[in-house]
Amino acid sequence: MTFKGSYTVCVTPFDAEGRVDLEALRGYVDWQIEEGVHGLIPLGSTGEFLSLTREERTAVAEVVIQQTAGRVPVLIGTAAEWTDEAVSLSREAEQLGADGVMLVPPYYSSPTDEELVVHFTRVAEALTIPVMLYNNPFTANVDLSAALVGRLSEVDNIRYIKDTSKNVHRVTELLEACQGRMTVFAGYYPWESYLAGAGGYSSVMSNIAPKLSAQTFERTVDGSGEGRDLYVKSLPLINALAGDLYVSATKAAMQMIGRPMGDPRAPRLPLPEDRRADLETIIRNLGLLAEA
C-alpha cells in the first residue's frame, strides 16, 4: 500500500463533560470518508494526543481503525518522549490494524541526531507497517534536517515524512537526500509542495473542508490546472488554523460548520472571541457555515 493524497490529521472529539466521545468519532470518520479524503491520521498534534490517557489513545485508535474498515489508510500517531513507550504504542497500533504510524521526535529532551536515529530505528524495527516521520520544529524543538532524514530513509519501514518546517524548498532537499526511498507529505503549503514533488498533505483544514482539501490534491496532480484555484480558495482557512491556537481554532471552526467536537482540553482554552469573527467570515465565504 502506498500513501498519497490529502490525509486528515483528525481532531479528538470530547463531550460536554470533557470525555472522549467515541460515538461522535465514528460519525466523523464516516463523514470524512464520504467527503473523499484519501487517509486519516488520528492522535497527532491536532488530535491532542498529549492530553489523552494511554487508555484513551488506545480507544481512539481502535475506533478509527474499526470504523474506517479499510476504506482508506489509517496512520496512528504513536509519538512518545520515551522510546520504549513509542515502541509499545506503535506495536499496539499495528495489532489493532493500522496501516502505518506517525511519530514526531521526542518533544522535551531535544535529542541529538544520533539519539534520533536510535529512537526511530528501534520503532521501525519493531514493526512490519510503515513509519511516517513528523518534522515539526515549532513544537518538538527539533528540526529533522534533510541529511538526517536521508540516513533514516535507509532504515526499513521508514518510508514517509510529514514536513511542517514551512520551507517548501525542504521538499526538494528531502527528495534528493532520500533518493527515492521516502515520500514527503506537506504540513503547510500543499500546492507548492505538490509541485516540488510531495506525494501528499497532512491536512488540518481537512477537518473542516475535507472535500476541498482532497480535490486540491487531485486537481493538481492531474495537470488540469484547477488545483491552484482551489488552493487559493482554501488559503485563508489554512492560515486561520495555523499558529499556537491551531487546536482551538480547528474545534471552533468545526462548531461553525455544524459538527461540534467539544472544547480542547486544558491548558488549552476555547478560541478567544476576538478571533472568532474573522474565522466565521472565512467559513461563510467557503459556503460551509451552518445555519443557525
Side-chain angles (χ1 to χ4, degrees), residues 125-173:
E125 289 179 345
L127 304 175
T128 62
I129 56 175
V131 171
M132 176 183 283
L133 307 178
Y134 175 14
N135 183 39
N136 191 337
F138 307 103
T139 57
N141 303 311
V142 175
D143 188 4
L144 300 178
S145 69
L148 174 59
V149 175
R151 288 177 62 189
L152 289 166
S153 72
E154 296 177 359
V155 178
D156 287 343
N157 292 345
I158 300 182
R159 291 291 172 260
Y160 299 86
I161 180 168
K162 170 187 175 181
D163 185 72
T164 314
S165 66
K166 290 191 174 182
N167 176 5
V168 175
H169 181 58
R170 182 68 66 85
V171 176
T172 301
E173 293 177 327

Side-chain angles (χ1 to χ4, degrees), residues 11 30 55 71 90-91 108 158 183 209 226 238 245 267 286:
V11 299
D30 286 339
E55 293 74 21
R71 289 177 287 173
S90 299
R91 282 177 169 161
Y108 183 81
I158 300 182
T183 298
E226 297 177 31
I238 290 173
L245 299 181
L286 287 172

Side-chain angles (χ1 to χ4, degrees), residues 4-6 38 190-191 193-201 213-228 230:
K4 63 179 182 178
S6 175
H38 304 114
W191 182 75
S193 296
Y194 297 150
L195 297 186
Y201 175 32
S213 188
Q215 288 179 340
T216 300
F217 172 79
E218 293 161 1
R219 305 288 168 79
T220 299
V221 299
D222 70 7
S224 66
E226 297 177 31
R228 184 181 185 279
L230 294 173

